Amino acid sequence: MYRIAMMVLRLFLKAPYYLFRIWMCGRNDKISFEEAYAYIKKVTIAANKAGRVKIESYGLENIPEKNGFVFFPNHQGLYDVLAFLESCPVPFAFVIKKEASKIILLKQVTDALGSLSIDREDIRQSMKVIAKMTEEVKGGKNFLIFAEGTRSKAGNKLLDFKGGSFKSAVKAQCPIVPCALIDAFKPFDEKSVKPVAVKIIYLPPIYYEEYRNMKTVEIAAEVKNRIEKAITFHQKFSDQKTSIIEE
């Protein structure tokens, strides 16, 4: 959490104002979803700069032009959503576990974007969240959900993706956008404030016509496989590039 402390210290004079404005975004009905997202994105960029975190984005052209889709990234830690908030050019809400939704700033951002908190220990509540997300996606709102359910504690290695996380996409018959996060665990989990780069790879979307006859567990396995391949390829490419530079 050293980097969080550095972000707060470097933005000490502005932090209360930022927090208040984000809080207002969740309380003032006159502030649109798009306006709230734009402001939160601005604050995120400032926080990342203060925390010496660089976001490298790849495949932005793969994001569907028409709204009403779901991002499915791998999950590495609390920092993940911040990486997307700086990187993603289109507004989105997210599904966050109940415990994390109570953390200061995350709570205000969750409210401002109309995001949803889920209690994975409560099946009935989880089903209601999935149903709510389905209706909002049908209405043209974009969402992000972590199909692993909990963060991987093994760096860039993935946990199994849970089929239930894909029920909202199936019911909404919307595009599924697999996303590969690389090194997103480093900003908040490592005890360091050295400059760090987090990579996001937006993979080609999977449209309903492609997955309509698949079971949710099969969709989950396919999305996980695509993300793993993207991470492996990118890491090999980066290693080769580093070797050439060193030679």
Side-chain angles (χ1 to χ4, degrees), residues 93-106:
F94 51 86
V95 176
I96 188 171
K97 64 181 181 180
K98 184 180 179 180
E99 297 81 1
S101 68
K102 297 178 180 179
I103 298 174
I104 189 169
L105 185 58
L106 272 179

Side-chain angles (χ1 to χ4, degrees), residues 156 182-183 186 199 231-247:
N156 292 313
I182 301 176
D183 295 339
K186 291 183 177 180
K199 302 175 180 62
I231 292 175
T232 299
F233 176 81
H234 191 88
Q235 288 179 323
K236 285 184 177 179
F237 177 78
S238 297
D239 291 342
Q240 290 175 355
K241 187 176 179 180
T242 300
S243 297
I244 293 173
I245 292 174
E246 290 177 349
E247 291 176 359

